[in-house]
Amino acid sequence: MPNNLNAMSDFWIYFSMGLKHMWNMNAYIDVLFLLVLTVPYEFKSWKRILILVSLFTSGHTLALMLSVFNVITIKVNIVAFIIPIIVLIAALYNILSSGKSSKKDSITFIAIVTALFGLIHGLGYANYFNNHISGKPTDKLLPLFESSLGFGVSQIIVILVALLLAYVVQTLLKLSKRDWILIVSAFVAGVVIPMIIRSEIWVK
């Protein structure tokens, strides 16, 4: 029984680590990305949203594993530079495609962007993860998956809030879906462009 309690305690510690990472004020860029990722969709598009969330989480977990086993590492300042660029690409894609009539449009492009964001984000998160979890790479596998599960749940929460907000704005305020996409995407672009300009990567 004590072993089961310890296992549950350890699970909650690592699950919470992934869950709380999304709510870290320094990680608000993750929320912005999920916002531009979700804004073109509605609750009825849950299958497409699930595909995108799965790609994000899978890319994040794969990159985290590669980093834990020292297959690939990346400097924090490079991650901090690439991530807002990917968010900007997603926001601009929304802006440029929002006026087009959709006939079962493909999600191929945004799926690639999402997977790429997950990979880069996972490499960045690995620095935080490795600083908090000690031991051999194999010892970190279970905490890694438990942390990734928490991170996946936090994504779902953010997406549900974003979808609910979109529903309220478009239903109660009678704002068109196209206008909502443009407003949200332009706002996110306006936030990340200064981040790119002020990036430490420009400093020699």
Side-chain angles (χ1 to χ4, degrees):
M1 190 68 175
N3 288 337
N4 290 338
L5 290 175
N6 289 336
M8 283 301 297
S9 176
D10 289 344
F11 169 81
W12 182 248
I13 290 171
Y14 302 129
F15 179 85
S16 297
M17 181 185 295
L19 185 68
K20 293 176 181 177
H21 181 73
M22 185 70 74
W23 312 115
N24 186 327
M25 285 304 294
N26 295 323
Y28 68 91
I29 190 73
D30 303 348
V31 176
L32 293 179
F33 179 73
L34 289 173
L35 201 54
V36 292
L37 191 67
T38 309
V39 72
Y41 301 109
E42 303 163 0
F43 281 106
K44 64 182 180 182
S45 305
W46 65 269
K47 289 183 180 179
R48 289 192 170 199
I49 296 171
L50 184 60
I51 290 172
L52 294 175
V53 171
S54 299
L55 285 170
F56 188 161
T57 305
S58 298
H60 180 274
T61 304
L62 174 62
L64 188 53
M65 287 181 64
L66 292 174
S67 181
V68 164
F69 282 91
N70 295 313
V71 176
I72 184 171
T73 56
I74 188 169
K75 293 182 179 179
V76 175
N77 64 330
I78 296 178
V79 172
F81 176 68
I82 295 176
I83 282 182
I85 290 178
I86 298 175
V87 176
L88 179 60
I89 290 171
L92 292 177
Y93 176 78
N94 283 347
I95 293 170
L96 295 174
S97 61
S98 64
K100 298 179 181 178
S101 56
S102 60
K103 35 185 180 183
K104 289 293 180 181
D105 53 330
S106 169
I107 64 168
T108 303
F109 177 78
I110 204 65
I112 293 171
V113 171
T114 302
L116 179 60
F117 185 89
L119 285 167
I120 300 299
H121 186 280
L123 292 174
Y125 179 71
N127 295 301
Y128 171 83
F129 181 83
N130 286 322
N131 285 336
H132 286 76
I133 308 296
S134 59
K136 298 180 294 184
T138 50
D139 296 334
K140 298 180 181 181
L141 277 178
L142 185 58
L144 183 154
F145 286 112
E146 292 169 343
S147 176
S148 292
L149 179 61
F151 187 73
V153 170
S154 68
Q155 289 181 62
I156 293 173
I157 294 172
V158 171
I159 287 172
L160 287 174
V161 171
L163 289 173
L164 182 60
L165 179 62
Y167 176 80
V168 170
V169 169
Q170 293 176 53
T171 303
L172 299 184
L173 301 183
K174 304 299 181 182
L175 193 69
S176 71
K177 180 179 177 180
R178 178 178 180 275
D179 287 345
W180 177 241
I181 293 172
L182 291 174
I183 290 170
V184 172
S185 300
F187 167 77
V188 172
V191 172
V192 298
I193 288 175
M195 294 175 64
I196 297 170
I197 295 172
R198 295 196 304 263
S199 173
E200 294 180 3
I201 206 166
W202 303 115
V203 181
K204 293 184 179 180

